[in-house]
């Protein structure tokens, strides 16, 4: 019986914490925010036909999505491949306003202030930030460590492909209405390195709460845009090639950025993934902060599953203001149009990190010639996973029912025994008698 | 090998004096080495033979795993075709080893049974190797099937032998030792096969090289077969000398006797299946879990994942020995289940270093395995033991096969947390069965959970009584 009692305490403790969890979940699920989305491909191009045509011929795309509420709490997303693939996000409150794109200026040598808010009366810019991808890194992972910072890698093991040199396919003129924007490139230069592969960024702007139906099933809200980065059929330069992406965050705050790794025991939404990473642009003040959120997993095949999963690794945040190439790359993007010269502004923070794909032993990129990585870009507090009610029910049932059975079974037998004991003593002789016939 | 030679020389005088076996033992027969009554004979000769009896089959069972990449390349097969080498072994045994046990009891007897099943094992491995030489996938599968028929039933024969020689003496330890030998067999295989293959690869290549390497495994089977024959001779001799009673024909098991197996036997079977499915399918899926949840490198994840095997290989004879000293098997089974449950909880609900949980799991598995299997011998009469162990093994095989598949589906759809809960639920079921076993036993004389001291006293009393009855 002592054994049964020992077992009781452990799961019960667990169950109580779980129930507390349920209540926390119930109370924290406040009213979901909803936004109205309005997407414009090639915004304001009617006013700047000539410059826009040049932009198209260069593969310099711009898409503008406004996610607005009735209270004029608006998020302005700008997706662009001018220079390098970039997403900008601005939050305005107070009154309705639109971003205006001065294409002549945007396509000129210095595109500063080419993107700005029109009719600014009563409009307050709460926050602005941008995520840009500067280059694709390919490296020959000779020792299969799947680590960019591995000391054994020499300079000759790396190929850096500047995204400025890629030609991004020109988007259709009109929006297709589903607020999904795909930037795709099949050409990178110098021409010798170009091949049949394809690189794409597909963004999906969300208008309400939910969870992505595809692995790793990231949670989204009306403050979030999710994107997939796909590297398909790319002919690697080495037999042990792995790839990485350099991402740069630009924030209109003077802040310490950080990448927080949040561990969870729960991997129900993305089997085998127990961590979520949040790159926060201003961790101290969540209401003037943006984030890049991802789970450290990418998939080696189009049909995403636990079996095709491999790891995603990020690195220490780096200051790039003294790196000439990085500065040029960021300044070539549409960031310059909205933020101006970010490296000269004291009130803007810029940080970079590499994000590499692969896990030692996964057979390198060559194994499947495919890698897809999903992440979220958003404003405010990053969404978080919570134990689903199904899981809580399963845990409660799976552990609770046996525990209850044992408790009641124990009580029942104790009851029977204590009642039986008095009788047992009375027929003490009888028990001997009972064994006698067997012998005879 | 040394043991085997010694055996052969030392059994020769025995054969010459075979006619007068019931009288005084002469020559070597009187020395502790050959006297079946002696401690030395039992532990240093018979026990070694019993342990090595299934060495060949454990060695060859994991041949495919040891040569996985090579096999897939040389035979030009895909992963699922490769996995079929294991399915062809395990699925038929969901039923077959039950009949194997029955055949041992009813038709062959343990001696002939062990030899016949060893022959099956050897033939299966030879077919497997031959199939590889011919580059014929079908023949290889057939080989694995034949190998499986022998392998699992041979394990049953091994258990029966162990009970026959060691019941009431050191049965828990012997079962623990058998367990660790099975691990030794597969570990040796894992470390040796690839070097052997590489060595042969210097002269022959491709599937032919693979075939030759597999023939090395067949030699291990032949080695075990020879030991099986020696063991049979020694066992027969011991029967004569010790006047072990032969099973009278009216005492022979009938198939419907299975229905009359006592309730605790079925409880033990439930514990067996519910416990094992919570350990081995988990290990099968553990690699990614340790890599992803605990951030281990593939090498350390692999090390953690194999901890249960390594720990149990060392710990199970030790625990078996201790349980022999203490008795109280049901108590130890309950402890084993509870501690394993706690380990799964640590793995599922915390980020505590998995080395700790897996080492403890290995220990608790050793405790359970060496306490659980010998209990069957306490409740099932000797002439039904083969069938009983066969049934247990069959149920376990069924459980492992079904739950491995289910666990794969669960983890793909719902992740490792739910998978862990799934395993915990099985452990809870094992726990319920264990508690029931404890209660049943307590209210029926407590035979299973006696302390070793009392058990010995009872045995002595029984022996005295039977002696009296004979007089």
């Amino acid at each position: 019986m002592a054994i049964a009692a020992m077992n009781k305490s452990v799961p019960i403790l667990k169950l109580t914490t779980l129930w507390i969890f349920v209540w926390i979940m119930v109370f924290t699920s406040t009213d979901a925010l909803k936004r109205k989305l309005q997407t414009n491909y090639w915004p304001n191009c009617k006013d700047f036909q000539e410059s826009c045509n040049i932009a198209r011929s260069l593969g310099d795309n711009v898409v503008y999505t406004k996610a607005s509420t009735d209270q004029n709490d608006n998020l302005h997303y700008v997706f662009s491949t001018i220079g390098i693939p970039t997403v900008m996000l601005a939050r305005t409150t107070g009154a309705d306003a639109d971003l205006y794109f001065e294409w002549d200026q945007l396509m000129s040598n210095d595109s500063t202030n080419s993107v700005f808010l029109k009719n600014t009366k009563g409009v307050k810019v709460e926050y602005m930030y941008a995520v840009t991808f500067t280059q694709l890194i390919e490296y020959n992972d000779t020792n299969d460590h799947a680590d960019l910072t591995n000391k054994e890698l020499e300079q000759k093991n790396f190929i850096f492909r500047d995204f400025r040199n890629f030609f991004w396919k020109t988007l259709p003129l009109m929006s297709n209405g589903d607020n999904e924007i795909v930037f795709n490139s099949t050409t990178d230069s110098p021409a010798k390195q170009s091949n049949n592969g394809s690189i794409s960024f597909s963004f999906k702007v969300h208008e309400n709460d939910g969870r992505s139906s595809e692995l790793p099933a990231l949670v989204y809200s009306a403050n979030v845009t999710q994107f997939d980065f796909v590297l398909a059929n790319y002919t690697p330069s080495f037999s042990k090639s792995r790839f990485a992406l350099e991402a740069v965050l630009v924030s209109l705050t003077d802040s310490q950025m950080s990448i927080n790794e949040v561990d969870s025991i729960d991997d129900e939404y993305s089997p085998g993934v127990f961590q979520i990473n949040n790159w926060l642009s201003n961790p101290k003040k969540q209401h003037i902060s943006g984030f890049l959120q991802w789970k450290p997993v990418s998939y080696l095949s189009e049909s995403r599953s636990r079996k095709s999963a491999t790891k995603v690794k990020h690195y220490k945040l780096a200051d790039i203001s003294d790196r000439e190439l990085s500065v040029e790359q960021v300044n070539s993007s549409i960031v310059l149009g909205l933020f101006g010269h970010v490296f000269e502004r004291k009130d803007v923070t810029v940080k970079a990190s590499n994000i590499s794909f692969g896990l030692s032993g996964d057979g390198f990129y060559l194994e499947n010639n495919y890698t897809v990585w999903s992440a979220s870009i958003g404003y405010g507090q990053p969404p978080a996973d919570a134990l689903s009610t199904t899981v809580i029910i399963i845990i409660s049932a799976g552990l609770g029912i046996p525990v209850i059975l044992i408790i009641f079974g124990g009580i029942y037998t104790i009851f029977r025994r204590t009642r039986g004991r008095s009788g047992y003593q009375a027929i003490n002789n009888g028990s001997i008698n009972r064994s006698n016939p067997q012998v005879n | 090998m040394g043991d085997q030679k010694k055996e052969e020389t030392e059994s020769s005088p025995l054969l010459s004096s075979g006619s007068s076996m019931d009288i005084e033992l002469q020559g070597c027969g009187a020395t502790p080495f050959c006297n079946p009554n002696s401690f030395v004979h039992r532990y240093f000769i018979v026990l070694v033979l019993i342990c090595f009896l299934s060495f060949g089959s454990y060695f060859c069972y994991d041949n495919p795993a040891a040569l996985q990449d090579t096999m897939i390349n040389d035979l030009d097969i895909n992963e699922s075709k490769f996995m079929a080498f294991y399915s062809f072994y395990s699925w038929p045994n969901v039923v077959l080893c039950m009949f194997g046990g029955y055949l041992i009891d009813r038709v062959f007897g343990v001696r002939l049974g062990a030899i016949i099943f060893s022959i099956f094992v050897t033939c299966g491995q030879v077919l497997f190797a031959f199939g590889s030489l011919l580059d014929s996938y079908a023949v290889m599968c057939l080989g694995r099937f034949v190998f499986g028929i022998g392998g699992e039933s041979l394990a049953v024969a091994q258990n029966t032998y162990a009970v026959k020689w060691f019941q009431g003496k050191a049965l828990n330890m012997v079962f623990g030792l058998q367990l660790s030998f099975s691990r030794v067999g597969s570990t040796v295989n894992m470390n040796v096969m690839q070097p052997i293959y590489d060595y042969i690869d210097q002269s022959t290549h491709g599937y032919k090289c693979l075939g030759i390497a597999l023939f090395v495994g067949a030699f291990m089977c032949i080695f075990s077969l020879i030991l099986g024959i020696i063991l049979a001779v020694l066992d027969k001799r011991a029967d004569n000398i010790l006047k072990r009673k032969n099973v009278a024909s009216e005492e022979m098991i009938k198939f419907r006797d299975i229905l009359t197996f006592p309730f605790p036997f079925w409880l033990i079977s439930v514990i067996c299946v519910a416990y094992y499915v919570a350990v081995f399918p988990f290990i099968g899926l553990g690699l990614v879990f340790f890599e992803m949840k605990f951030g281990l490198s593939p090498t350390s994840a692999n090390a953690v994942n194999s901890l249960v095997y390594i720990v149990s290989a060392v710990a199970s004879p030790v625990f078996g020995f201790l349980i022999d000293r203490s008795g109280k098997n049901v108590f130890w089974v309950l402890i084993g289940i509870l501690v394993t449950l706690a380990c799964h909880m640590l793995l599922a609900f915390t980020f505590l270093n998995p080395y700790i949980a897996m080492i403890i799991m290995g220990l608790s598995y050793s405790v359970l395995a060496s306490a659980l299997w010998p209990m069957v011998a306490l409740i099932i009469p000797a002439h039904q033991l083969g069938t009983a162990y066969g049934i247990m093994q069959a149920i376990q095989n069924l459980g492992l096969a079904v739950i491995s598949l289910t666990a794969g589906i669960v983890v793909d759809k719902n992740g490792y947390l739910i998978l862990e809960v799934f395993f915990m639920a099985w452990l809870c079921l094992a726990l319920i069965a264990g508690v029931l076993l404890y209660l049943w036993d307590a209210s029926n004389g407590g035979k299973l959970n006696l302390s070793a001291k009392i058990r010995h006293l009872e045995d002595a009393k029984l022996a005295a009584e039977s002696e009296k009855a004979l007089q």
Side-chain angles (χ1 to χ4, degrees), chain A residues 3 7 10-11 14 263-268 271-272 274 306-307 359-360 387 391 395 399 402 405-406 413 417, chain B residues 289 291-293 298 334 338 341 345 348-349 351 411-412 414-418 421 424 428 431-432 439 442:
Chain A
I3 300 153
N7 176 52
V10 183
K14 212 70 233 177
D263 286 326
S264 159
I265 60 161
D266 183 20
D267 67 332
E268 57 179 308
F274 295 88
R306 191 181 60 88
K307 286 198 185 74
L359 177 69
S360 59
L387 280 180
V391 166
I395 292 180
L399 297 182
L405 273 177
I406 288 175
T413 41
R417 271 203 184 169
Chain B
F289 180 65
E291 282 172 10
M292 298 303 283
K293 182 169 177 182
L334 285 172
L338 274 175
L341 186 62
M345 283 181 166
F349 301 132
F351 282 93
V411 75
D412 282 336
N414 305 99
Y416 279 96
L417 180 68
I418 301 288
V421 173
M424 284 179 225
C428 286
L431 191 64
I432 291 172
L439 294 174

Side-chain angles (χ1 to χ4, degrees), chain B residues 326-347:
Chain B
S326 77
K328 296 210 171 285
N329 285 42
V330 183
F331 172 75
W332 290 116
V333 165
L334 285 172
I335 291 287
I337 298 170
L338 274 175
V339 174
T340 310
L341 186 62
C343 290
H344 270 297
M345 283 181 166
L346 283 182
L347 291 169

Side-chain angles (χ1 to χ4, degrees), chain B residues 4 80 96 118 127 185 226 228 246 250-251 263 269 282 286 292 296-297 396 398 417 420 426 434 445 447 452 470:
Chain B
Q4 183 201 338
S80 62
L96 283 178
S118 292
L127 264 179
I226 294 170
N246 279 325
E250 62 265 29
E251 240 190 330
F263 179 60
S269 300
F282 169 69
M292 298 303 283
L296 298 183
S297 72
Q396 192 195 356
L398 177 69
L417 180 68
E420 279 289 17
W426 280 105
K447 193 161 74 174
L470 280 173

Side-chain angles (χ1 to χ4, degrees), chain B residues 83-212:
Chain B
M83 286 314 288
F85 286 147
Y86 283 96
S87 323
F88 271 103
Y89 178 97
S90 56
W91 280 105
N93 276 305
V94 165
V95 183
L96 283 178
C97 61
M98 192 161 78
F99 291 105
Y102 177 71
L103 289 175
I104 288 173
D105 280 343
R106 171 92 207 192
V107 188
F108 302 142
V110 62
R111 290 189 287 263
L112 192 58
I115 292 172
I116 289 175
F117 294 129
S118 292
I119 291 173
F120 266 99
V121 165
T122 312
C123 290
Q125 180 69 15
V126 168
L127 264 179
F128 189 53
F130 208 62
S132 170
L133 273 187
L134 299 174
D135 194 18
S136 160
Y137 177 73
V139 174
M140 291 184 83
C141 287
L142 179 70
R144 285 297 279 187
F145 174 72
V146 174
F147 178 75
I149 293 175
E152 291 293 289
S153 301
L154 184 61
V156 174
Q158 194 188 18
N159 288 346
T160 318
Y161 260 132
V163 173
K164 197 171 172 190
W165 279 84
F166 295 97
Q167 178 152 33
K169 295 177 183 94
L171 193 55
N172 297 290
M173 192 267 281
V174 170
F175 270 91
L177 205 61
Q178 283 185 22
L179 181 83
S180 63
F181 257 76
S182 68
R183 298 287 160 252
V184 170
S186 57
T187 311
V188 170
N189 155 69
M190 284 294 184
N191 292 310
V192 148
M193 282 315 279
Q194 193 63 46
I196 289 178
Y197 177 90
D198 292 340
Y199 179 76
I200 301 168
D201 199 34
Q202 291 167 1
S203 46
T204 324
H205 305 290
Y207 55 83
K208 285 197 173 142
C209 173
L210 181 67
I212 296 170

